[in-house]
Amino acid sequence: MKVNNDLIGKQGRLPGFIVPLEFDNLTVTEFILVPTAGACIHTPPPPANQMVVVSFPQGVQFRGLYTPVWVEGTLAQQTNSSNIELSDGATDVTTAYTMEAQSVEVYE
């Protein structure tokens, strides 16, 4: 898995789609930001270097897997393995990046 070291530690804004990891009702506090709608729902998932585990303690209202968002924060390199629950079972997904989000908003 190749990561882009030029991006590590940089503040930025990334577009993508939410795959929830931690949530309370419809408020998501941790998620995987994926490049395409519905990614990880069907196998295979995107490559690890195309996904970011995002922590957003204040939470964002989940509007669905097909709602694009902007996530702003500082990118870090950290390999994670997350178990995603799907309608037809569960799968492990490996990601290459993490981000402590400062904001998450619907992509318009």
Side-chain angles (χ1 to χ4, degrees):
M1 149 183 50
K2 185 173 172 127
V3 298
N4 187 337
N5 290 316
D6 293 339
L7 300 176
I8 305 305
K10 300 280 170 90
Q11 172 83 20
R13 191 171 183 213
L14 298 173
F17 298 86
I18 292 175
V19 175
L21 293 174
E22 299 283 334
F23 53 93
D24 181 20
N25 292 321
L26 292 177
T27 301
V28 179
T29 56
E30 185 174 64
F31 59 91
I32 299 176
L33 185 69
V34 296
T36 56
C40 298
I41 300 306
H42 305 287
T43 56
N49 62 358
Q50 292 182 14
M51 298 185 289
V52 181
V53 173
V54 177
S55 176
F56 190 55
Q58 55 267 55
V60 60
Q61 188 74 18
F62 184 62
R63 297 185 182 189
L65 297 171
Y66 299 97
T67 301
V69 295
W70 280 109
V71 177
E72 188 168 342
T74 302
L75 200 63
Q77 194 278 320
Q78 179 180 341
T79 302
N80 289 298
S81 182
S82 303
N83 188 270
I84 307 288
E85 294 289 328
L86 309 172
S87 60
D88 60 349
T91 188
D92 287 323
V93 174
T94 301
T95 58
Y97 300 103
T98 62
M99 179 184 280
E100 293 286 330
Q102 293 163 339
S103 69
V104 178
E105 59 189 50
V106 174
Y107 186 113
E108 303 217 27

